[in-house]
Amino acid sequence: MMLRIRSRDGLERVAVESPHITIAQLKAIIQSQLKIPIHNQTLSTNQNILLANAHGDRSKFMDMSNPNTLLSSLNLSHGSIVYLAYEGERTVAGPSIHPAGSFGRKMTMDDLVARQMRITRQENPHCELVSFDRDCANAFQHYVNETLAFAVKRGGFMYGTVSTEGKVEVDFIYEPPQQGTEDNLLFFRDQDEERLVEAIAVGLGMRKVGFIFTQTISRERKDYTLSNREVLQAAEFHSETGLKEWVTAVVKLEVNEDGGADVHFEAFQMSDVCIKLFKEGWFETDIQEDFDPKLSKMKKDVVVGVKDTRDVDNDFFLVVVKIFDHQGPLSTTFPIENRNVPVTMKALKNHLDRLKGLTFVKRISDFHLLLLLARVLDVSSDVPALAECVQTQTPVPEGYKILIESMASAA
């Protein structure tokens, strides 16, 4: 029978006698056929082992750690995929070249450029870590879980701060007008609304720091982390900014040990070479239905390992970022924009009434409330002034307080 072995070098195949051999025997076969020493191999049925960038991280993958375990007990059979992480370097057999004429194959300019465009894994992110404000992260996941039931995709832009050490803190998520399906997420970018969002962010001493989106439960368990469409969208939004610490976050449901489902956050950076390829137009952006979603198709050959190819495993473009959480300066209790129910001034009145026991600046310390106010206030003077009060937690000038309360009362 044949097993497929996916490593950082791509997908390769090994021949084994039957599914009744042990892990130790499989490692010996890999050593013989793929030239990777047994002591350098870490095997798993979990694709995430390919994203682990250190030996300590790989030790978490224990499903194939017992050398006496039979492949059949892991439900491995003909055509199954086993994921392989290994230490060191090796030479991978490339495609055969058939020379044309006595002087060999004629090289075109595209061939020469492709030989210079090598795709390798980026081990370290520019972002030291990303920390999510607990309230804003919960408001996002609660909506996609309880209201959308992870049936369609949902996304947003993350705003916060970046420290000099490269630590990103996410303090609010702006959700643009959008339409999500099982496999696609389309933003209807509203430049006027985004101008208001940017004005609020500046007043709060924050900036756009990343893109967050969900994966649906209808996507059966696949052997990839991000699809080719998701890689393209993440690269597009990353390319819009000059922020090297830009983060892409994924929210999905994962089955837990008890058979239930837990909401899970993952964070990545798109690699430098991914952004370079996107900006220079290497990606095939017209994705057909018959394209393999775990592979990004290039318009020209690139070099992966020692192979010339136009199909690149999406995992090559992902750099894992550590996730933490914190309690940020803003609340996230006000209704969120661009969801199923329009946000009106009635929501402002209810919100202010509910928080009567707090100072006025605390009552308006919510990005989504500020965005509603920004639609009627002056974006160049009033919005930054109010946002600065929220940032510094200083009393709101009486004139603004009266104006906001009168808008709420008129609802």
Side-chain angles (χ1 to χ4, degrees), residues 5 79 153 193 225 278 317 324 393:
I5 307 297
K153 295 171 75 74
E193 184 170 88
T225 308
F278 182 84
F317 297 133
F324 291 79
Q393 287 296 291

Side-chain angles (χ1 to χ4, degrees), residues 305-318:
V306 295
K307 300 177 183 178
D308 288 356
T309 182
R310 295 195 180 189
D311 295 319
V312 182
D313 191 313
N314 298 332
D315 283 351
F316 273 99
F317 297 133
L318 304 180

Side-chain angles (χ1 to χ4, degrees), residues 53-70:
N53 56 16
H55 182 71
D57 290 340
R58 293 171 187 163
S59 65
K60 301 174 184 176
F61 299 89
M62 302 295 292
D63 58 318
M64 297 183 72
S65 61
N66 185 342
N68 299 316
T69 299
L70 295 177

Side-chain angles (χ1 to χ4, degrees), residues 41-171:
Q41 299 177 28
T42 305
L43 301 178
S44 178
T45 57
N46 188 334
Q47 63 182 342
N48 290 328
I49 195 173
L50 299 182
L51 299 176
N53 56 16
H55 182 71
D57 290 340
R58 293 171 187 163
S59 65
K60 301 174 184 176
F61 299 89
M62 302 295 292
D63 58 318
M64 297 183 72
S65 61
N66 185 342
N68 299 316
T69 299
L70 295 177
L71 300 189
S72 57
S73 70
L74 299 172
N75 295 320
L76 294 174
S77 58
H78 179 73
S80 294
I81 295 180
V82 174
Y83 299 92
L84 163 66
Y86 69 90
E87 303 291 333
E89 301 294 332
R90 69 177 177 127
T91 300
V92 183
S96 58
I97 296 176
H98 304 285
S102 59
F103 294 98
R105 184 166 67 100
K106 184 177 180 181
M107 299 291 289
T108 67
M109 184 58 69
D110 282 349
D111 292 329
L112 294 172
V113 172
R115 290 191 178 279
Q116 296 174 346
M117 185 55 73
R118 303 188 66 87
I119 297 180
T120 57
R121 289 189 184 278
Q122 181 177 322
E123 294 296 331
N124 299 309
H126 298 293
C127 173
E128 177 70 18
L129 61 87
V130 59
S131 181
F132 287 89
D133 171 78
R134 286 185 285 273
D135 291 341
C136 87
N138 184 62
F140 184 78
Q141 68 87 15
H142 185 269
Y143 178 69
V144 298
N145 189 16
E146 299 296 328
T147 303
L148 303 182
F150 279 95
V152 296
K153 295 171 75 74
R154 184 76 184 173
F157 291 118
M158 304 185 293
Y159 283 77
T161 57
V162 182
S163 73
T164 54
E165 297 83 16
K167 297 178 181 179
V168 173
E169 286 196 353
V170 177
D171 288 314

Side-chain angles (χ1 to χ4, degrees), residues 26-38:
L26 175 59
K27 286 189 172 184
I29 291 171
I30 291 174
Q31 176 176 263
S32 173
Q33 297 184 21
L34 302 185
K35 311 304 179 187
I36 301 174
I38 291 174

